[in-house]
């Protein structure tokens, strides 16, 4: 085996190569700020004001990143997430301003209610068989409404992350009925109830006041259930499947490549924070570990990777050329 690792042969025989075009940068847009605000639990990441988001995307584009996924932090929340579908809501404004400036940038929007509800859950809370909890079918109409408002604003891809049964079909029907046949659905199809979302809840101000998310997100040990979730979303018309988190769920990611649809992996806030924190302490080389983790995610089968390292990785990949 040593022969095939001779230095001059390494580029020729490399099986997996990470490209800037594989990466999607998450962008937090905060309706209440007028300059970028650092996110303490995610060093190097910022909430951005609506007015600054097109500039930032232009900077990403110049660095070679061609896709963003947007998360909104509204000025006000309520029990029904009305801010999530308001025509002049934070995401709607952000999408319009990016698409106006950069029509070639792929804009993905997160379709969920948790940043817009005062209780912090991903939809409407009601009385269920198990007590107060996320109401499935009542919340579906809300998701259709949110997705439609994102499409009307110019989103290329809507990404429902609420883990409701039937979300993909409901959104597909709503988009088609309104003439948005070309808008894709990237489903957060295999989304685990992970403690690795901790820093995100700071970043997007989406902590919850009652219960937890285990009645809608998948338990970390359940592989068959996770694959079934993606299978159902594929049958409902998802265009892209997703595994989230990425790095410690590569077995699930590898299984999803069998459906024939593109597969996305979301390297989440906690994965980012762990690498950054250890890097800051000098315990490891954050740049090397970040690139290694992204390469491993691609090797396991991801066609695209949502990662907070996207902006930095673009520069690092340039430097390695
Ligand atoms: C909203 C959403 C979450 C993330 C993406 N979309 C939080 C959650 O489900 O609790 C997590 C992203 C991250 O941790 O980077 N449903
Ligand atoms: Zn949510």
């Amino acid at each position: 085996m040593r022969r095939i690792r001779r230095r001059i042969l390494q580029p020729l025989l490399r099986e997996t190569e990470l490209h800037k075009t594989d990466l999607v940068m998450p962008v937090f847009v905060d309706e209440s700020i007028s300059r970028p605000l650092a996110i303490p639990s995610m060093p190097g990441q910022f909430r951005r004001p609506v007015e600054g988001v097109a500039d930032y995307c232009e900077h990403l584009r110049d660095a070679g990143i061609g896709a963003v996924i947007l998360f909104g932090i509204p000025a006000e929340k309520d029990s029904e997430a009305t801010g999530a579908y308001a025509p002049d809501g934070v995401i709607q404004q952000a999408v319009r301003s990016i698409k106006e400036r950069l029509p070639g940038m792929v804009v993905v929007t997160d379709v969920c209610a948790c940043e817009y509800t005062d209780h912090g859950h991903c939809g409407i809370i009601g009385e269920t068989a198990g007590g107060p909890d996320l109401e499935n079918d009542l919340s579906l109409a809300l998701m259709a409404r949110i997705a439609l408002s994102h499409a009307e604003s110019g989103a290329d891809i809507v990404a429902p992350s609420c883990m409701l049964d039937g979300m993909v079909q409901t959104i597909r029907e709503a988009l088609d009925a309104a003439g948005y046949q070309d808008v894709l659905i990237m489903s957060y199809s295999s989304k685990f109830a992970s403690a690795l979302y901790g820093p995100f809840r700071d970043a997007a101000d989406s902590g919850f006041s009652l219960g937890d998310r285990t009645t809608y997100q998948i338990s970390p040990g359940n592989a068959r259930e996770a694959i079934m979730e993606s299978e159902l979303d594929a049958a409902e018309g998802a265009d892209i499947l997703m595994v989230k988190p990425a790095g410690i769920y590569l077995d699930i990611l590898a299984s999803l490549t069998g459906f024939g649809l593109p597969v996305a992996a979301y390297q989440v806030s906690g994965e980012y924070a762990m690498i950054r924190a250890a890097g800051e302490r000098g315990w490891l080389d954050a740049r090397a570990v970040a690139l290694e983790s992204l390469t491993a995610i691609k090797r396991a089968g991801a066609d695209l990777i949502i990662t907070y390292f996207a902006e930095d990785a673009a520069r690092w990949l340039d430097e390695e050329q």
Side-chain angles (χ1 to χ4, degrees):
M1 296 307 283
R2 293 290 304 279
R3 276 196 294 276
I4 66 170
R5 297 188 198 122
R6 279 179 54 201
R7 219 168 279 285
I8 61 161
L9 291 170
Q10 287 175 12
L12 190 64
L13 298 181
R14 186 167 296 134
E15 294 181 45
T16 305
E17 199 155 11
L18 189 65
H19 300 295
K20 292 188 277 187
T21 50
D22 300 324
L23 306 178
V24 181
M25 181 72 190
V27 178
F28 296 102
V29 191
D30 186 334
E31 198 173 11
S32 310
I33 59 177
S34 51
R35 62 183 61 172
L37 181 70
I39 301 166
S41 53
M42 299 174 72
Q45 301 297 311
F46 296 82
R47 293 188 188 183
R48 305 192 180 267
V50 178
E51 307 77 54
V53 79
D55 283 343
Y56 178 61
C57 288
E58 196 162 17
H59 164 78
L60 288 175
R61 197 262 330 257
D62 294 344
I65 298 298
V68 291
I69 181 165
L70 304 180
F71 296 94
I73 301 117
E76 281 172 37
K77 302 176 190 248
D78 58 36
S79 65
E80 313 222 287
T82 57
Y85 54 82
D88 60 347
V90 54
I91 287 299
Q92 291 75 6
Q93 293 184 54
V95 174
R96 284 194 296 265
S97 78
I98 297 167
K99 278 303 202 179
E100 215 164 279
R101 178 94 63 90
L102 304 162
M105 183 108 210
V106 176
V107 176
V108 186
T109 56
D110 185 80
V111 174
C112 203
C114 51
E115 291 124 54
Y116 303 87
T117 49
D118 47 18
H119 47 70
H121 280 281
C122 299
I124 306 292
I125 295 291
E127 247 345 284
T128 72
D133 200 351
L134 188 63
E135 283 256 23
N136 199 83
D137 296 6
L138 283 180
S139 303
L140 286 177
L142 173 61
M143 296 309 148
R145 207 161 170 183
I146 298 171
L148 195 54
S149 82
H150 292 175
E152 283 164 355
S153 307
D156 300 291
I157 304 180
V158 294
S161 65
C162 49
M163 289 295 287
L164 294 166
D165 290 345
M167 66 183 186
V168 173
Q169 185 180 341
T170 306
I171 291 172
R172 185 72 268 160
E173 284 169 2
L175 292 175
D176 288 353
Y180 294 106
Q181 282 85 357
D182 291 339
V183 172
L184 283 78
I185 299 177
M186 174 162 74
S187 177
Y188 285 70
S189 51
S190 295
K191 177 173 177 179
F192 289 87
S194 175
L196 289 168
Y197 308 149
F200 178 91
R201 289 176 187 160
D202 280 359
D205 194 14
S206 68
F208 39 82
S209 51
L210 104 164
D212 56 30
R213 296 212 210 284
T214 61
T215 62
Y216 44 105
Q217 299 177 352
I218 306 162
S219 178
N222 291 5
R224 286 194 309 271
E225 184 183 328
I227 293 161
M228 171 82 122
E229 278 282 5
S230 280
E231 211 172 319
L232 290 168
D233 284 4
E236 287 180 29
D239 301 291
I240 305 173
L241 302 172
M242 192 198 298
V243 179
K244 178 183 166 208
I248 59 175
Y249 294 92
L250 295 186
D251 55 334
I252 308 299
L253 177 55
S255 299
L256 295 196
T257 59
F259 293 113
L261 290 174
V263 180
Y266 196 143
Q267 184 181 52
V268 301
S269 57
E271 300 179 84
Y272 174 84
M274 290 194 293
I275 295 171
R276 278 278 184 239
E280 283 182 358
R281 290 196 167 200
W283 289 350
L284 49 70
D285 175 347
R287 167 179 166 155
V289 174
L291 289 174
E292 181 178 336
S293 67
L294 294 170
T295 302
I297 291 165
K298 183 162 181 187
R299 184 201 66 227
D303 298 290
L304 60 102
I305 306 173
I306 302 169
T307 174
Y308 302 96
F309 285 114
E311 182 184 349
D312 288 335
R315 196 177 58 250
W316 297 333
L317 290 170
D318 284 344
E319 287 167 8
E320 291 195 354
Q321 287 306 301

